[in-house]
Amino acid sequence: MKVMVVGGGISGLTMAMSLHQIGVPVRVYEAVREVSPLGVGLNLQPNGVRELIELGLGEELDRIGTATRNLCFFNKFGQPVWREPRGRDAGFDWPQYSIHRGKLQVMLTEATRARLGNAAVRTGHQFQRLEQRGGKVVAWFLDRQTGQVVEDEADILVGADGIHSAVRRQFYPGEGEPLFAGQILWRAAVDAPPFLDGATMAIAGHFHQRIVAYPIGPGSKPGTLLTNWIAQMTVATEAPPREDWNRKVGKERFFDTFGHWKFDWLDFPALVESTSEIFEFPLVDRHPVDRWSFDRVTLIGDAAHPMQPTGSQAGSQAIVDARMLTAALLADRDPVMALAKYDAVRRPVMNDITLRNRGFGPEAAMQLAEERAPHGFARIEDVIPREELESISRGFQQAAGLDAAALNARPSFVPPGARFG
Ligand SMILES: Cc1cc2nc3c(=O)[nH]c(=O)nc-3n(C[C@H](O)[C@H](O)[C@H](O)COP(=O)(O)OP(=O)(O)OC[C@H]3O[C@@H](n4cnc5c(N)ncnc54)[C@H](O)[C@@H]3O)c2cc1C
């Protein structure tokens, strides 16, 4: 049994280490020639963190990330609407980490290479196409250094190549570009003094205009934390720039709207002013599809279910995909059956989340505050009863598989010592 993984991002590297854990040889093909810490903030919910801890990466996560303790919503005047504990403070046996996406990818790459050997992650190899024949998958990759096309063969190929997945395109050639949801996000990570308790994810505003800020690890200067911020806004344009995680822009694109969002707990304009690199990204996803597994080929992570960032789930769900696929292989020695079962169990849940994420998610509380009290309020309880706030939060967490009691009670997807075959 041998596996090829296409894409050395968050899901692909987790897949590789998980397969190695159960004794299955695996090779990762990654398009970029050198893995550098690209991206800004990403949240790992306890369901994803559990899997990385079970892979032995707990200390590394703790070193590079922030264990987030609270999620707080505010209105556009910075008045508190709702606060909920997160991670261990919410009763989970595992923390939630807010983390720099690029540092996470570099950490996972190094861990994969340390465990599987350097040759297991082949960078600079861009997937071109695949064929299934004689009980094998054959795939062709462009070696970006030599310009040659190289061929490899395995029993299974896992497409973990992100929102523009070329593996997915082979099965859905007419799918086209991701769907634009009418909003743009401007994002950055900058060293800043801690705000609130130094471990809070704060979201302020309403559906059409909002800011998000949270620490994602230690800062490089004393007394600072690396702080992720986002300004998100509905825009009139129908044709957004093609989504590119690395598109840099100036603050004038959004500062007219958010330049006065200065609260007693966060000076957002000052945060923006102190930032040197701002990235622009349109809010996109793709329609759910009705199949991920095609005999010996399957999809995980953003290749399978690119979703809007409502509830901060893409990274965690990508990790859980990799672990559930590993569990499916442990349960069924026949790879075709295992991939079909992974598809049958996991896809409906992720398709449901993808569609739900087009709605308000836990941010519904903020939107209600805007609709019912657009000029602010004296007491939030006069605007939204406590039970209504609680039910919004509970409803989302259950749908997202973030129920603490259920997660704590669930046996491991990959029990210690489990081996394939
Ligand atoms: C550069 C970059 C920056 C990002 N920044 C953020 C961020 O700041 N915040 C956030 O929440 N999410 C970010 N994301 C997305 C986030 O990583 C994913 O939503 C989530 O973690 C799921 O991970 P994934 O492994 O499925 O996809 P990704 O993390 O997108 O990984 C896909 C990998 O596949 C590789 N790849 C693509 N095409 C091919 C091909 N043809 N052949 C071989 N390899 C290929 C890519 O180079 C990438 O390494 C970023 C993604 C990328 C690629």
Side-chain angles (χ1 to χ4, degrees), residues 7 9-11 29-31 39-41 101 105 125 127 160-161 187 245 301-302 314:
I10 312 306
S11 61
Y29 285 92
E30 165 56 47
V40 286
R101 185 258 172 208
Q105 188 186 12
H125 281 71
F127 170 83
D161 50 343
R187 323 172 48 121
W245 290 107
D302 280 5

mmCIF file with all atom_site columns, all heavy atoms in Angstrom, residues 7 9-11 29-31 39-41 101 105 125 127 160-161 187 245 301-302 314, ligand 1:
data_model
loop_
_atom_site.group_PDB
_atom_site.id
_atom_site.type_symbol
_atom_site.label_atom_id
_atom_site.label_alt_id
_atom_site.label_comp_id
_atom_site.label_asym_id
_atom_site.label_entity_id
_atom_site.label_seq_id
_atom_site.pdbx_PDB_ins_code
_atom_site.Cartn_x
_atom_site.Cartn_y
_atom_site.Cartn_z
_atom_site.occupancy
_atom_site.B_iso_or_equiv
_atom_site.pdbx_formal_charge
_atom_site.auth_seq_id
_atom_site.auth_comp_id
_atom_site.auth_asym_id
_atom_site.auth_atom_id
_atom_site.pdbx_PDB_model_num
ATOM   1   N N   . GLY A 1 7   ? -0.484  18.285 -2.708  1.00 0.00 ? 7   GLY A N   1
ATOM   2   C CA  . GLY A 1 7   ? -0.664  19.495 -1.900  1.00 0.00 ? 7   GLY A CA  1
ATOM   3   C C   . GLY A 1 7   ? -0.059  19.323 -0.519  1.00 0.00 ? 7   GLY A C   1
ATOM   4   O O   . GLY A 1 7   ? -0.465  18.441 0.236   1.00 0.00 ? 7   GLY A O   1
ATOM   5   N N   . GLY A 1 9   ? -0.196  21.496 2.003   1.00 0.00 ? 9   GLY A N   1
ATOM   6   C CA  . GLY A 1 9   ? -0.773  22.504 2.902   1.00 0.00 ? 9   GLY A CA  1
ATOM   7   C C   . GLY A 1 9   ? -1.154  21.843 4.220   1.00 0.00 ? 9   GLY A C   1
ATOM   8   O O   . GLY A 1 9   ? -0.609  20.802 4.615   1.00 0.00 ? 9   GLY A O   1
ATOM   9   N N   . ILE A 1 10  ? -2.110  22.432 4.906   1.00 0.00 ? 10  ILE A N   1
ATOM   10  C CA  . ILE A 1 10  ? -2.471  21.966 6.247   1.00 0.00 ? 10  ILE A CA  1
ATOM   11  C C   . ILE A 1 10  ? -3.039  20.539 6.184   1.00 0.00 ? 10  ILE A C   1
ATOM   12  O O   . ILE A 1 10  ? -2.641  19.663 6.954   1.00 0.00 ? 10  ILE A O   1
ATOM   13  C CB  . ILE A 1 10  ? -3.507  22.927 6.887   1.00 0.00 ? 10  ILE A CB  1
ATOM   14  C CG1 . ILE A 1 10  ? -3.070  24.411 6.755   1.00 0.00 ? 10  ILE A CG1 1
ATOM   15  C CG2 . ILE A 1 10  ? -3.802  22.536 8.326   1.00 0.00 ? 10  ILE A CG2 1
ATOM   16  C CD1 . ILE A 1 10  ? -1.697  24.732 7.266   1.00 0.00 ? 10  ILE A CD1 1
ATOM   17  N N   . SER A 1 11  ? -3.940  20.299 5.243   1.00 0.00 ? 11  SER A N   1
ATOM   18  C CA  . SER A 1 11  ? -4.567  18.976 5.192   1.00 0.00 ? 11  SER A CA  1
ATOM   19  C C   . SER A 1 11  ? -3.610  17.917 4.647   1.00 0.00 ? 11  SER A C   1
ATOM   20  O O   . SER A 1 11  ? -3.559  16.795 5.154   1.00 0.00 ? 11  SER A O   1
ATOM   21  C CB  . SER A 1 11  ? -5.859  19.010 4.359   1.00 0.00 ? 11  SER A CB  1
ATOM   22  O OG  . SER A 1 11  ? -5.590  19.385 3.026   1.00 0.00 ? 11  SER A OG  1
ATOM   23  N N   . TYR A 1 29  ? 3.332   15.698 -2.885  1.00 0.00 ? 29  TYR A N   1
ATOM   24  C CA  . TYR A 1 29  ? 3.769   16.540 -4.000  1.00 0.00 ? 29  TYR A CA  1
ATOM   25  C C   . TYR A 1 29  ? 3.217   17.941 -3.803  1.00 0.00 ? 29  TYR A C   1
ATOM   26  O O   . TYR A 1 29  ? 1.996   18.134 -3.776  1.00 0.00 ? 29  TYR A O   1
ATOM   27  C CB  . TYR A 1 29  ? 3.274   15.974 -5.329  1.00 0.00 ? 29  TYR A CB  1
ATOM   28  C CG  . TYR A 1 29  ? 4.052   14.751 -5.754  1.00 0.00 ? 29  TYR A CG  1
ATOM   29  C CD1 . TYR A 1 29  ? 3.619   13.474 -5.408  1.00 0.00 ? 29  TYR A CD1 1
ATOM   30  C CD2 . TYR A 1 29  ? 5.242   14.891 -6.455  1.00 0.00 ? 29  TYR A CD2 1
ATOM   31  C CE1 . TYR A 1 29  ? 4.348   12.355 -5.776  1.00 0.00 ? 29  TYR A CE1 1
ATOM   32  C CE2 . TYR A 1 29  ? 5.984   13.777 -6.820  1.00 0.00 ? 29  TYR A CE2 1
ATOM   33  C CZ  . TYR A 1 29  ? 5.531   12.517 -6.482  1.00 0.00 ? 29  TYR A CZ  1
ATOM   34  O OH  . TYR A 1 29  ? 6.262   11.426 -6.851  1.00 0.00 ? 29  TYR A OH  1
ATOM   35  N N   . GLU A 1 30  ? 4.101   18.918 -3.638  1.00 0.00 ? 30  GLU A N   1
ATOM   36  C CA  . GLU A 1 30  ? 3.699   20.304 -3.370  1.00 0.00 ? 30  GLU A CA  1
ATOM   37  C C   . GLU A 1 30  ? 4.190   21.198 -4.514  1.00 0.00 ? 30  GLU A C   1
ATOM   38  O O   . GLU A 1 30  ? 5.360   21.135 -4.899  1.00 0.00 ? 30  GLU A O   1
ATOM   39  C CB  . GLU A 1 30  ? 4.282   20.763 -2.019  1.00 0.00 ? 30  GLU A CB  1
ATOM   40  C CG  . GLU A 1 30  ? 4.268   22.253 -1.764  1.00 0.00 ? 30  GLU A CG  1
ATOM   41  C CD  . GLU A 1 30  ? 2.892   22.912 -1.866  1.00 0.00 ? 30  GLU A CD  1
ATOM   42  O OE1 . GLU A 1 30  ? 1.921   22.391 -1.289  1.00 0.00 ? 30  GLU A OE1 1
ATOM   43  O OE2 . GLU A 1 30  ? 2.800   23.948 -2.550  1.00 0.00 ? 30  GLU A OE2 1
ATOM   44  N N   . ALA A 1 31  ? 3.291   22.070 -5.002  1.00 0.00 ? 31  ALA A N   1
ATOM   45  C CA  . ALA A 1 31  ? 3.613   22.885 -6.176  1.00 0.00 ? 31  ALA A CA  1
ATOM   46  C C   . ALA A 1 31  ? 4.701   23.928 -5.899  1.00 0.00 ? 31  ALA A C   1
ATOM   47  O O   . ALA A 1 31  ? 5.560   24.166 -6.742  1.00 0.00 ? 31  ALA A O   1
ATOM   48  C CB  . ALA A 1 31  ? 2.352   23.561 -6.701  1.00 0.00 ? 31  ALA A CB  1
ATOM   49  N N   . GLY A 1 39  ? 0.511   33.589 4.461   1.00 0.00 ? 39  GLY A N   1
ATOM   50  C CA  . GLY A 1 39  ? -0.807  33.659 5.085   1.00 0.00 ? 39  GLY A CA  1
ATOM   51  C C   . GLY A 1 39  ? -0.755  34.517 6.333   1.00 0.00 ? 39  GLY A C   1
ATOM   52  O O   . GLY A 1 39  ? 0.309   35.029 6.708   1.00 0.00 ? 39  GLY A O   1
ATOM   53  N N   . VAL A 1 40  ? -1.894  34.662 6.967   1.00 0.00 ? 40  VAL A N   1
ATOM   54  C CA  . VAL A 1 40  ? -1.961  35.388 8.229   1.00 0.00 ? 40  VAL A CA  1
ATOM   55  C C   . VAL A 1 40  ? -2.623  34.470 9.263   1.00 0.00 ? 40  VAL A C   1
ATOM   56  O O   . VAL A 1 40  ? -2.220  33.325 9.411   1.00 0.00 ? 40  VAL A O   1
ATOM   57  C CB  . VAL A 1 40  ? -2.641  36.776 8.047   1.00 0.00 ? 40  VAL A CB  1
ATOM   58  C CG1 . VAL A 1 40  ? -1.693  37.735 7.337   1.00 0.00 ? 40  VAL A CG1 1
ATOM   59  C CG2 . VAL A 1 40  ? -3.934  36.696 7.281   1.00 0.00 ? 40  VAL A CG2 1
ATOM   60  N N   . GLY A 1 41  ? -3.675  34.949 9.948   1.00 0.00 ? 41  GLY A N   1
ATOM   61  C CA  . GLY A 1 41  ? -4.218  34.156 11.044  1.00 0.00 ? 41  GLY A CA  1
ATOM   62  C C   . GLY A 1 41  ? -5.154  33.032 10.600  1.00 0.00 ? 41  GLY A C   1
ATOM   63  O O   . GLY A 1 41  ? -5.878  33.160 9.615   1.00 0.00 ? 41  GLY A O   1
ATOM   64  N N   . ARG A 1 101 ? -0.979  31.022 9.892   1.00 0.00 ? 101 ARG A N   1
ATOM   65  C CA  . ARG A 1 101 ? -1.155  29.894 8.974   1.00 0.00 ? 101 ARG A CA  1
ATOM   66  C C   . ARG A 1 101 ? 0.176   29.437 8.355   1.00 0.00 ? 101 ARG A C   1
ATOM   67  O O   . ARG A 1 101 ? 0.432   28.240 8.201   1.00 0.00 ? 101 ARG A O   1
ATOM   68  C CB  . ARG A 1 101 ? -2.156  30.300 7.886   1.00 0.00 ? 101 ARG A CB  1
ATOM   69  C CG  . ARG A 1 101 ? -2.532  29.192 6.924   1.00 0.00 ? 101 ARG A CG  1
ATOM   70  C CD  . ARG A 1 101 ? -1.799  29.353 5.618   1.00 0.00 ? 101 ARG A CD  1
ATOM   71  N NE  . ARG A 1 101 ? -2.011  28.190 4.754   1.00 0.00 ? 101 ARG A NE  1
ATOM   72  C CZ  . ARG A 1 101 ? -1.122  27.796 3.853   1.00 0.00 ? 101 ARG A CZ  1
ATOM   73  N NH1 . ARG A 1 101 ? 0.008   28.441 3.710   1.00 0.00 ? 101 ARG A NH1 1
ATOM   74  N NH2 . ARG A 1 101 ? -1.355  26.746 3.106   1.00 0.00 ? 101 ARG A NH2 1
ATOM   75  N N   . GLN A 1 105 ? 2.119   25.843 8.643   1.00 0.00 ? 105 GLN A N   1
ATOM   76  C CA  . GLN A 1 105 ? 2.501   25.018 7.493   1.00 0.00 ? 105 GLN A CA  1
ATOM   77  C C   . GLN A 1 105 ? 3.993   24.658 7.557   1.00 0.00 ? 105 GLN A C   1
ATOM   78  O O   . GLN A 1 105 ? 4.376   23.518 7.275   1.00 0.00 ? 105 GLN A O   1
ATOM   79  C CB  . GLN A 1 105 ? 2.184   25.742 6.180   1.00 0.00 ? 105 GLN A CB  1
ATOM   80  C CG  . GLN A 1 105 ? 2.385   24.825 4.979   1.00 0.00 ? 105 GLN A CG  1
ATOM   81  C CD  . GLN A 1 105 ? 2.220   25.528 3.650   1.00 0.00 ? 105 GLN A CD  1
ATOM   82  O OE1 . GLN A 1 105 ? 2.163   26.758 3.594   1.00 0.00 ? 105 GLN A OE1 1
ATOM   83  N NE2 . GLN A 1 105 ? 2.139   24.756 2.580   1.00 0.00 ? 105 GLN A NE2 1
ATOM   84  N N   . HIS A 1 125 ? 6.739   20.474 -7.307  1.00 0.00 ? 125 HIS A N   1
ATOM   85  C CA  . HIS A 1 125 ? 6.116   19.476 -8.186  1.00 0.00 ? 125 HIS A CA  1
ATOM   86  C C   . HIS A 1 125 ? 4.625   19.762 -8.285  1.00 0.00 ? 125 HIS A C   1
ATOM   87  O O   . HIS A 1 125 ? 3.877   19.539 -7.338  1.00 0.00 ? 125 HIS A O   1
ATOM   88  C CB  . HIS A 1 125 ? 6.343   18.055 -7.656  1.00 0.00 ? 125 HIS A CB  1
ATOM   89  C CG  . HIS A 1 125 ? 7.703   17.527 -7.959  1.00 0.00 ? 125 HIS A CG  1
ATOM   90  N ND1 . HIS A 1 125 ? 8.832   18.005 -7.346  1.00 0.00 ? 125 HIS A ND1 1
ATOM   91  C CD2 . HIS A 1 125 ? 8.117   16.579 -8.852  1.00 0.00 ? 125 HIS A CD2 1
ATOM   92  C CE1 . HIS A 1 125 ? 9.891   17.366 -7.829  1.00 0.00 ? 125 HIS A CE1 1
ATOM   93  N NE2 . HIS A 1 125 ? 9.484   16.495 -8.742  1.00 0.00 ? 125 HIS A NE2 1
ATOM   94  N N   . PHE A 1 127 ? 0.981   19.134 -9.664  1.00 0.00 ? 127 PHE A N   1
ATOM   95  C CA  . PHE A 1 127 ? 0.129   18.079 -10.232 1.00 0.00 ? 127 PHE A CA  1
ATOM   96  C C   . PHE A 1 127 ? -0.444  18.528 -11.575 1.00 0.00 ? 127 PHE A C   1
ATOM   97  O O   . PHE A 1 127 ? -0.942  19.648 -11.694 1.00 0.00 ? 127 PHE A O   1
ATOM   98  C CB  . PHE A 1 127 ? -1.013  17.758 -9.265  1.00 0.00 ? 127 PHE A CB  1
ATOM   99  C CG  . PHE A 1 127 ? -2.068  16.860 -9.837  1.00 0.00 ? 127 PHE A CG  1
ATOM   100 C CD1 . PHE A 1 127 ? -1.904  15.490 -9.842  1.00 0.00 ? 127 PHE A CD1 1
ATOM   101 C CD2 . PHE A 1 127 ? -3.235  17.393 -10.385 1.00 0.00 ? 127 PHE A CD2 1
ATOM   102 C CE1 . PHE A 1 127 ? -2.875  14.652 -10.388 1.00 0.00 ? 127 PHE A CE1 1
ATOM   103 C CE2 . PHE A 1 127 ? -4.206  16.570 -10.934 1.00 0.00 ? 127 PHE A CE2 1
ATOM   104 C CZ  . PHE A 1 127 ? -4.032  15.193 -10.931 1.00 0.00 ? 127 PHE A CZ  1
ATOM   105 N N   . ALA A 1 160 ? -5.245  17.182 -1.953  1.00 0.00 ? 160 ALA A N   1
ATOM   106 C CA  . ALA A 1 160 ? -5.257  18.119 -0.814  1.00 0.00 ? 160 ALA A CA  1
ATOM   107 C C   . ALA A 1 160 ? -4.717  19.459 -1.312  1.00 0.00 ? 160 ALA A C   1
ATOM   108 O O   . ALA A 1 160 ? -3.974  20.137 -0.623  1.00 0.00 ? 160 ALA A O   1
ATOM   109 C CB  . ALA A 1 160 ? -4.398  17.572 0.324   1.00 0.00 ? 160 ALA A CB  1
ATOM   110 N N   . ASP A 1 161 ? -5.106  19.804 -2.551  1.00 0.00 ? 161 ASP A N   1
ATOM   111 C CA  . ASP A 1 161 ? -4.464  20.943 -3.219  1.00 0.00 ? 161 ASP A CA  1
ATOM   112 C C   . ASP A 1 161 ? -5.306  22.215 -3.205  1.00 0.00 ? 161 ASP A C   1
ATOM   113 O O   . ASP A 1 161 ? -5.200  23.046 -4.105  1.00 0.00 ? 161 ASP A O   1
ATOM   114 C CB  . ASP A 1 161 ? -4.004  20.557 -4.637  1.00 0.00 ? 161 ASP A CB  1
ATOM   115 C CG  . ASP A 1 161 ? -5.072  19.872 -5.467  1.00 0.00 ? 161 ASP A CG  1
ATOM   116 O OD1 . ASP A 1 161 ? -6.068  19.402 -4.902  1.00 0.00 ? 161 ASP A OD1 1
ATOM   117 O OD2 . ASP A 1 161 ? -4.913  19.812 -6.701  1.00 0.00 ? 161 ASP A OD2 1
ATOM   118 N N   . ARG A 1 187 ? -6.692  41.608 5.221   1.00 0.00 ? 187 ARG A N   1
ATOM   119 C CA  . ARG A 1 187 ? -6.162  40.859 6.353   1.00 0.00 ? 187 ARG A CA  1
ATOM   120 C C   . ARG A 1 187 ? -4.690  41.164 6.543   1.00 0.00 ? 187 ARG A C   1
ATOM   121 O O   . ARG A 1 187 ? -3.986  41.455 5.574   1.00 0.00 ? 187 ARG A O   1
ATOM   122 C CB  . ARG A 1 187 ? -6.288  39.352 6.100   1.00 0.00 ? 187 ARG A CB  1
ATOM   123 C CG  . ARG A 1 187 ? -7.521  38.918 5.395   1.00 0.00 ? 187 ARG A CG  1
ATOM   124 C CD  . ARG A 1 187 ? -7.444  37.452 5.021   1.00 0.00 ? 187 ARG A CD  1
ATOM   125 N NE  . ARG A 1 187 ? -7.005  36.670 6.136   1.00 0.00 ? 187 ARG A NE  1
ATOM   126 C CZ  . ARG A 1 187 ? -7.693  35.677 6.684   1.00 0.00 ? 187 ARG A CZ  1
ATOM   127 N NH1 . ARG A 1 187 ? -8.861  35.347 6.203   1.00 0.00 ? 187 ARG A NH1 1
ATOM   128 N NH2 . ARG A 1 187 ? -7.216  35.002 7.706   1.00 0.00 ? 187 ARG A NH2 1
ATOM   129 N N   . TRP A 1 245 ? -4.069  34.316 -2.162  1.00 0.00 ? 245 TRP A N   1
ATOM   130 C CA  . TRP A 1 245 ? -3.767  34.529 -0.743  1.00 0.00 ? 245 TRP A CA  1
ATOM   131 C C   . TRP A 1 245 ? -2.682  35.580 -0.549  1.00 0.00 ? 245 TRP A C   1
ATOM   132 O O   . TRP A 1 245 ? -2.481  36.076 0.542   1.00 0.00 ? 245 TRP A O   1
ATOM   133 C CB  . TRP A 1 245 ? -3.344  33.218 -0.094  1.00 0.00 ? 245 TRP A CB  1
ATOM   134 C CG  . TRP A 1 245 ? -4.446  32.228 0.059   1.00 0.00 ? 245 TRP A CG  1
ATOM   135 C CD1 . TRP A 1 245 ? -4.619  31.092 -0.672  1.00 0.00 ? 245 TRP A CD1 1
ATOM   136 C CD2 . TRP A 1 245 ? -5.529  32.265 0.998   1.00 0.00 ? 245 TRP A CD2 1
ATOM   137 N NE1 . TRP A 1 245 ? -5.744  30.435 -0.245  1.00 0.00 ? 245 TRP A NE1 1
ATOM   138 C CE2 . TRP A 1 245 ? -6.315  31.124 0.787   1.00 0.00 ? 245 TRP A CE2 1
ATOM   139 C CE3 . TRP A 1 245 ? -5.904  33.161 2.003   1.00 0.00 ? 245 TRP A CE3 1
ATOM   140 C CZ2 . TRP A 1 245 ? -7.453  30.847 1.522   1.00 0.00 ? 245 TRP A CZ2 1
ATOM   141 C CZ3 . TRP A 1 245 ? -7.037  32.888 2.748   1.00 0.00 ? 245 TRP A CZ3 1
ATOM   142 C CH2 . TRP A 1 245 ? -7.794  31.740 2.501   1.00 0.00 ? 245 TRP A CH2 1
ATOM   143 N N   . GLY A 1 301 ? -9.903  18.602 2.742   1.00 0.00 ? 301 GLY A N   1
ATOM   144 C CA  . GLY A 1 301 ? -9.634  20.025 2.976   1.00 0.00 ? 301 GLY A CA  1
ATOM   145 C C   . GLY A 1 301 ? -10.345 20.920 1.984   1.00 0.00 ? 301 GLY A C   1
ATOM   146 O O   . GLY A 1 301 ? -11.456 20.644 1.528   1.00 0.00 ? 301 GLY A O   1
ATOM   147 N N   . ASP A 1 302 ? -9.685  22.032 1.641   1.00 0.00 ? 302 ASP A N   1
ATOM   148 C CA  . ASP A 1 302 ? -10.306 22.998 0.737   1.00 0.00 ? 302 ASP A CA  1
ATOM   149 C C   . ASP A 1 302 ? -10.554 22.422 -0.654  1.00 0.00 ? 302 ASP A C   1
ATOM   150 O O   . ASP A 1 302 ? -11.402 22.923 -1.389  1.00 0.00 ? 302 ASP A O   1
ATOM   151 C CB  . ASP A 1 302 ? -9.423  24.248 0.603   1.00 0.00 ? 302 ASP A CB  1
ATOM   152 C CG  . ASP A 1 302 ? -9.589  25.208 1.776   1.00 0.00 ? 302 ASP A CG  1
ATOM   153 O OD1 . ASP A 1 302 ? -10.313 24.859 2.731   1.00 0.00 ? 302 ASP A OD1 1
ATOM   154 O OD2 . ASP A 1 302 ? -8.998  26.306 1.731   1.00 0.00 ? 302 ASP A OD2 1
ATOM   155 N N   . ALA A 1 314 ? -12.195 26.261 8.540   1.00 0.00 ? 314 ALA A N   1
ATOM   156 C CA  . ALA A 1 314 ? -11.600 25.560 7.397   1.00 0.00 ? 314 ALA A CA  1
ATOM   157 C C   . ALA A 1 314 ? -10.374 24.733 7.793   1.00 0.00 ? 314 ALA A C   1
ATOM   158 O O   . ALA A 1 314 ? -10.241 23.576 7.380   1.00 0.00 ? 314 ALA A O   1
ATOM   159 C CB  . ALA A 1 314 ? -11.235 26.556 6.300   1.00 0.00 ? 314 ALA A CB  1
HETATM 160 C C1  . LIG B 2 .   ? -0.608  30.612 0.563   1.00 0.00 ? 1   LIG B C1  1
HETATM 161 C C2  . LIG B 2 .   ? -1.849  30.372 1.381   1.00 0.00 ? 1   LIG B C2  1
HETATM 162 C C3  . LIG B 2 .   ? -2.163  31.260 2.404   1.00 0.00 ? 1   LIG B C3  1
HETATM 163 C C4  . LIG B 2 .   ? -3.321  31.067 3.178   1.00 0.00 ? 1   LIG B C4  1
HETATM 164 N N1  . LIG B 2 .   ? -3.595  31.950 4.169   1.00 0.00 ? 1   LIG B N1  1
HETATM 165 C C5  . LIG B 2 .   ? -4.652  31.737 4.976   1.00 0.00 ? 1   LIG B C5  1
HETATM 166 C C6  . LIG B 2 .   ? -4.906  32.595 6.061   1.00 0.00 ? 1   LIG B C6  1
HETATM 167 O O1  . LIG B 2 .   ? -4.197  33.565 6.287   1.00 0.00 ? 1   LIG B O1  1
HETATM 168 N N2  . LIG B 2 .   ? -5.982  32.334 6.860   1.00 0.00 ? 1   LIG B N2  1
HETATM 169 C C7  . LIG B 2 .   ? -6.810  31.268 6.625   1.00 0.00 ? 1   LIG B C7  1
HETATM 170 O O2  . LIG B 2 .   ? -7.764  31.063 7.385   1.00 0.00 ? 1   LIG B O2  1
HETATM 171 N N3  . LIG B 2 .   ? -6.587  30.446 5.592   1.00 0.00 ? 1   LIG B N3  1
HETATM 172 C C8  . LIG B 2 .   ? -5.534  30.644 4.770   1.00 0.00 ? 1   LIG B C8  1
HETATM 173 N N4  . LIG B 2 .   ? -5.284  29.781 3.723   1.00 0.00 ? 1   LIG B N4  1
HETATM 174 C C9  . LIG B 2 .   ? -6.234  28.665 3.493   1.00 0.00 ? 1   LIG B C9  1
HETATM 175 C C10 . LIG B 2 .   ? -6.130  27.588 4.553   1.00 0.00 ? 1   LIG B C10 1
HETATM 176 O O3  . LIG B 2 .   ? -4.825  27.102 4.622   1.00 0.00 ? 1   LIG B O3  1
HETATM 177 C C11 . LIG B 2 .   ? -7.114  26.523 4.198   1.00 0.00 ? 1   LIG B C11 1
HETATM 178 O O4  . LIG B 2 .   ? -8.419  27.086 4.142   1.00 0.00 ? 1   LIG B O4  1
HETATM 179 C C12 . LIG B 2 .   ? -7.220  25.385 5.225   1.00 0.00 ? 1   LIG B C12 1
HETATM 180 O O5  . LIG B 2 .   ? -6.158  25.356 6.112   1.00 0.00 ? 1   LIG B O5  1
HETATM 181 C C13 . LIG B 2 .   ? -7.334  24.049 4.525   1.00 0.00 ? 1   LIG B C13 1
HETATM 182 O O6  . LIG B 2 .   ? -6.054  23.634 4.121   1.00 0.00 ? 1   LIG B O6  1
HETATM 183 P P1  . LIG B 2 .   ? -5.768  22.783 2.826   1.00 0.00 ? 1   LIG B P1  1
HETATM 184 O O7  . LIG B 2 .   ? -4.532  22.023 3.116   1.00 0.00 ? 1   LIG B O7  1
HETATM 185 O O8  . LIG B 2 .   ? -6.951  22.040 2.385   1.00 0.00 ? 1   LIG B O8  1
HETATM 186 O O9  . LIG B 2 .   ? -5.480  23.882 1.709   1.00 0.00 ? 1   LIG B O9  1
HETATM 187 P P2  . LIG B 2 .   ? -4.247  24.874 1.576   1.00 0.00 ? 1   LIG B P2  1
HETATM 188 O O10 . LIG B 2 .   ? -3.711  25.244 2.897   1.00 0.00 ? 1   LIG B O10 1
HETATM 189 O O11 . LIG B 2 .   ? -4.693  25.932 0.652   1.00 0.00 ? 1   LIG B O11 1
HETATM 190 O O12 . LIG B 2 .   ? -3.096  23.995 0.881   1.00 0.00 ? 1   LIG B O12 1
HETATM 191 C C14 . LIG B 2 .   ? -3.138  23.557 -0.469  1.00 0.00 ? 1   LIG B C14 1
HETATM 192 C C15 . LIG B 2 .   ? -1.712  23.268 -0.913  1.00 0.00 ? 1   LIG B C15 1
HETATM 193 O O13 . LIG B 2 .   ? -1.740  22.661 -2.195  1.00 0.00 ? 1   LIG B O13 1
HETATM 194 C C16 . LIG B 2 .   ? -0.747  23.225 -3.005  1.00 0.00 ? 1   LIG B C16 1
HETATM 195 N N5  . LIG B 2 .   ? -1.163  23.069 -4.408  1.00 0.00 ? 1   LIG B N5  1
HETATM 196 C C17 . LIG B 2 .   ? -2.102  23.762 -5.083  1.00 0.00 ? 1   LIG B C17 1
HETATM 197 N N6  . LIG B 2 .   ? -2.199  23.319 -6.354  1.00 0.00 ? 1   LIG B N6  1
HETATM 198 C C18 . LIG B 2 .   ? -1.303  22.304 -6.476  1.00 0.00 ? 1   LIG B C18 1
HETATM 199 C C19 . LIG B 2 .   ? -0.927  21.433 -7.538  1.00 0.00 ? 1   LIG B C19 1
HETATM 200 N N7  . LIG B 2 .   ? -1.492  21.505 -8.782  1.00 0.00 ? 1   LIG B N7  1
HETATM 201 N N8  . LIG B 2 .   ? 0.042   20.494 -7.325  1.00 0.00 ? 1   LIG B N8  1
HETATM 202 C C20 . LIG B 2 .   ? 0.645   20.386 -6.106  1.00 0.00 ? 1   LIG B C20 1
HETATM 203 N N9  . LIG B 2 .   ? 0.331   21.212 -5.055  1.00 0.00 ? 1   LIG B N9  1
HETATM 204 C C21 . LIG B 2 .   ? -0.642  22.145 -5.235  1.00 0.00 ? 1   LIG B C21 1
HETATM 205 C C22 . LIG B 2 .   ? -0.682  24.669 -2.534  1.00 0.00 ? 1   LIG B C22 1
HETATM 206 O O14 . LIG B 2 .   ? 0.554   25.287 -2.882  1.00 0.00 ? 1   LIG B O14 1
HETATM 207 C C23 . LIG B 2 .   ? -0.873  24.512 -1.018  1.00 0.00 ? 1   LIG B C23 1
HETATM 208 O O15 . LIG B 2 .   ? 0.363   24.333 -0.356  1.00 0.00 ? 1   LIG B O15 1
HETATM 209 C C24 . LIG B 2 .   ? -4.175  29.951 2.906   1.00 0.00 ? 1   LIG B C24 1
HETATM 210 C C25 . LIG B 2 .   ? -3.854  29.063 1.872   1.00 0.00 ? 1   LIG B C25 1
HETATM 211 C C26 . LIG B 2 .   ? -2.697  29.251 1.114   1.00 0.00 ? 1   LIG B C26 1
HETATM 212 C C27 . LIG B 2 .   ? -2.361  28.268 0.018   1.00 0.00 ? 1   LIG B C27 1
#
